[in-house]
Amino acid sequence: MKWEETKSWPYPVLRPNNDDYQKAAFEVNLELDRLPDTTAVEVDADFALGDADLLGLVESGDAEYLLLVRCSTTHFREEFRSCEPHIRRRFENGMLTGRVEIAPFLVACSDLQGFRAERWHPDYDGLSPRFDAGSVLAVDRPSTYWIDSADEQPVTSMFRIAEGNVPSGQWRCRPLEEHVALELSGPDVERLKEARSRFGNTKDLWHIINGVYLPALIWLLCEADRSSDDGDYQDMRWYSALDSALERNECKPLGANDADRVADAQTLLDNPFVEMPVLNIE
């Protein structure tokens, strides 16, 4: 099911930013580990349920924790249930690739007759909601992951040169879902494409790395750090690839408060300054 902050049910559901339950929460901590150079992954989910009445349903076997895993690329869709607040699943190479969404729930295992919770909002006083087997009792926001070999590709591959409404001689980054558009004016796009084609893998390519990609990467790292608390970019493909690149190079992860992103950007680009042709005159 698609996550919608304003979605409503005909009965109380414990969920984020909603007052169906008073002073209670349902939170899930998800960790996904991927084997290098494969799409094989292991998912660990720890559920924290903060309502005594819902916990009672779990203990009596009338409710279960559930993970719904969906991957449109491989047409994979399956749910995994547990009466314990922990679910671990391994997915072999090829089962999941591309965009993967993992949604956590607490669901009823049987028809609940006369169920009520003390922490329901007063609006439900005197009402007798119906809970059938399979009804959602609690839900947390889904998490999106990108599982493919792109995490091992060069950092520059997450940028795509594009024409935009930008003054000549300037550039602008625009984060999109799967990549970051590096926007230039029309003439500058053509000049940059011609230069990349002409330089190829020669030493002169480092002029472009230092003059275009290095400042763009510094901006992107700082922007990702700034917005990490809001979750604006965390579901985007490039975010995962960038975070993986930082981890491989033993740099602080996105969202760190004390990271030196100028130094990190140079590390991710293999210290491009020292490769400048002007510094390597023989």
Side-chain angles (χ1 to χ4, degrees), residues 166-172 183-189 191 211:
V166 183
S168 179
Q170 298 185 17
W171 58 267
R172 176 179 60 202
E183 296 183 338
L184 309 169
S185 68
D188 285 344
V189 167
R191 282 194 287 268

Side-chain angles (χ1 to χ4, degrees), residues 205-227:
L205 181 64
W206 292 100
H207 287 300
I208 297 177
I209 299 296
N210 281 275
V212 179
Y213 290 104
L214 178 58
L217 182 56
I218 293 172
W219 178 89
L220 186 62
L221 287 166
C222 294
E223 175 69 5
D225 283 341
R226 182 193 63 78
S227 63

Side-chain angles (χ1 to χ4, degrees), residues 39-66:
T39 61
V41 296
E42 188 170 87
V43 175
D44 276 289
D46 288 303
F47 297 80
L49 179 58
D51 180 79
D53 294 294
L54 292 176
L55 282 170
L57 292 177
V58 176
E59 293 169 0
S60 66
D62 292 311
E64 288 182 324
Y65 302 102
L66 182 148

